[in-house]
Structures are given as structure tokens and as C-alpha cells.
Amino acid sequence: MRIKKILNNNAVLVADKGKDFIWIGTGLGFKKRPGDEADSNKIEKTFVLNQEKSMSRFSELLQNISAEYASVADDIIHCAKGKIQYDLSDTIYISLTDHISNLVGLMKEGLHIPNQLTWEIKKFYPIEYAVGIHALSLIQEKIHIQPEDYEAGNIALHFINAQIIKSDEQVENIQKLTEKIRDIVTIIRIHNKMEIDENTIAFDRFVTHLRFFFKRSNSVMNDAGNPLLVHVVEKYPDAYETAKLIGDYLKITLYDNELLYLTLHIQKLIEK
């Protein structure tokens, strides 16, 4: 097949009979140009996502990160498909690859943001949590970093959020959730006097965070505080003020950890 687009030295987008594929392999894109014949002998992973939008997002992501992270994400997803009892959206490839990339970046900076929901995830989503535990060993083996145990919960969240919705009740809930998300996006847009590009990975990540937040919002509890919040407030005051406005809209008290996460997500939207 001929190369349609070079994503990085180790990943290329190819096309055959109107269908796009992403090939990953050492040196696949090195010194290549669109139109060149791709070396099929170097293929280590092949990705075919069903939705054109997902394929576009995944291609965009691979232009900015190591293809190794997508390969590890694929190994984790392959393991998960043998354990979970529901179908997964293609977005899992994007969100999990992006998460691994962010995790590596945070660890290089020496930053650790614990997941305060680990106990709940472990209790209510034991299969997904088990997948997360296995994922930690794969990440350590293949990327040579050792994530903290709470990362198992973070990884589990990606599978929880990637469930394909089928029941009427879930569809109704999603409609209500969508209305809330739309209102929150409007708050961010108006307060910061900006337009939000909804065709970005940052926006996808923000919506994923909100989806799980809404699932547990009825049981939000106080926490012991988070010292990182002080630093984030000083660095991103506009994003922090926006996060507080979201709390007012939802008529709930946002404690330190949730304010921290919301502020960081909003800041990413502002930067974009």
C-alpha cells in the first residue's frame, strides 16, 4: 500500500480501496513521503477504526507522540477485550494512548496526582480495575516506568467510559448529560471570551472527565485537600474561576481534588 500521510518515524497512514489504515513499526515513516510504497515487512501493529472522525483524531494524536504508546495501549485493549462483557467504542484507542503519553510526561516532571476514586472503582468496576492492574505491568515492561498503583483506577476509567450505549434508559441519561456538557462549554466560552474547538483531543479528554464526574456526583465527599491546587490557582487563575462557576451551575460543592482536575482540563481548552 502507498503512504497517505507520515505520522512520525514509526507510524504511517495508508489507504487501500478507500479504507484508511494506520501502520506502526520501527522506521515505517523514516525518510518516506506521501505516495511512497509502505514497507509491509516492518508492520508491528495495524489499526483500523470504524469511524472516520476517530481515525482522524488517532492520526492527529500520533503526529505528536511516540508510536510506542499506541502499541502499548493496543496490548492493554486486547487484554481487556478478553475480560469485559461489553463492546468498546473506537475512542478507547485515542483516550488510552493519550493517557499513557500524559502519564509518561507527568512522571518525567516528577508530578503525581492520586486518584481519589480508586476504592470506588475497585469496588464497583472490578473487571475494569483488574485490566488496569495488568496495564501497569505492561507499561512497566514496555516503557520502563513504574506508575503508582492508583493509575490502575485511571486506566479503568477509560474502559468504563468507552462502553457502547445500547439501552433506552442509558440513551435518555446521555441526553441529559449532553445538555449539561453543552451548558458547561457555554460557561467556559463566555467567561473566557473565547471559542472552543470541539475537534481536539483536549476537548475529548474534558468531556470524558465530565462523564465520569456526573456518574459519581451524587456521592461527592469532602477530602483532605490537595496542596497542588494552590500552585494551579496561582498559575491558571482564569481557569480556576471558571471551574468555580461550573460548581455554581451544578449546585454542588467542588472540593480540592475536583477543582484541581477541572481547572487543568479547562486550562487545556483555553490554551487550544
Side-chain angles (χ1 to χ4, degrees), residues 218-234:
N218 291 332
S219 60
V220 172
M221 298 175 64
N222 198 351
D223 54 29
N226 192 318
L228 285 177
L229 182 61
V230 176
H231 172 71
V232 168
V233 171
E234 292 178 353

Side-chain angles (χ1 to χ4, degrees), residues 37-243:
E37 189 73 22
D39 187 351
S40 59
N41 293 319
K42 293 183 177 180
I43 300 173
E44 298 170 9
K45 297 276 187 181
T46 299
F47 295 88
V48 186
L49 306 190
N50 295 321
Q51 294 185 350
E52 183 179 343
K53 182 179 179 181
S54 296
M55 200 67 169
S56 176
R57 297 276 181 88
F58 197 34
S59 298
E60 175 192 346
L61 179 61
L62 287 173
Q63 290 180 73
N64 298 296
I65 68 170
S66 169
E68 180 184 23
Y69 304 148
S71 180
V72 174
D74 183 57
D75 290 339
I76 296 169
I77 294 165
H78 179 75
C79 165
K81 287 182 175 179
K83 297 179 182 294
I84 59 179
Q85 303 299 314
Y86 48 80
D87 294 329
L88 292 168
S89 165
D90 280 347
T91 58
I92 186 65
Y93 290 94
I94 303 166
S95 67
L96 188 56
T97 300
D98 183 53
H99 178 84
I100 293 171
S101 175
N102 282 324
L103 171 62
V104 173
L106 287 172
M107 291 188 68
K108 285 181 178 178
E109 293 181 28
L111 296 176
H112 301 276
I113 305 177
N115 186 338
Q116 301 298 317
L117 299 171
T118 298
W119 183 87
E120 289 90 342
I121 295 167
K122 187 175 181 180
K123 179 178 179 181
F124 296 112
Y125 301 97
I127 296 175
E128 290 85 350
Y129 186 79
V131 171
I133 291 293
H134 181 65
L136 299 188
S137 63
L138 285 175
I139 291 171
Q140 183 177 359
E141 174 189 345
K142 296 178 181 294
I143 305 180
H144 310 296
I145 62 171
Q146 187 169 0
E148 299 289 342
D149 289 346
Y150 59 75
E151 274 298 327
N154 290 334
I155 291 170
L157 288 181
H158 288 283
F159 290 95
I160 295 166
N161 282 307
Q163 295 180 55
I164 292 180
I165 296 166
K166 294 182 178 180
S167 74
D168 292 340
E169 181 179 357
Q170 286 178 310
V171 170
E172 182 180 353
N173 289 337
I174 287 297
Q175 289 175 342
K176 293 178 181 178
L177 181 148
T178 302
E179 291 174 3
K180 285 185 179 180
I181 291 175
R182 180 57 50 203
D183 289 345
I184 288 172
V185 170
T186 299
I187 291 170
I188 297 172
R189 179 175 57 80
I190 293 175
H191 182 68
N192 295 282
K193 299 178 181 178
M194 58 175 283
E195 293 300 322
I196 295 176
D197 186 355
E198 298 184 8
N199 295 310
T200 63
I201 293 169
F203 184 79
D204 286 346
R205 194 184 303 147
F206 177 63
V207 171
T208 296
H209 176 83
L210 288 179
R211 285 181 61 193
F212 191 78
F213 171 71
F214 291 143
K215 287 181 182 179
R216 59 184 170 82
S217 61
N218 291 332
S219 60
V220 172
M221 298 175 64
N222 198 351
D223 54 29
N226 192 318
L228 285 177
L229 182 61
V230 176
H231 172 71
V232 168
V233 171
E234 292 178 353
K235 193 171 183 181
Y236 308 125
D238 292 337
Y240 174 69
E241 289 301 321
T242 308

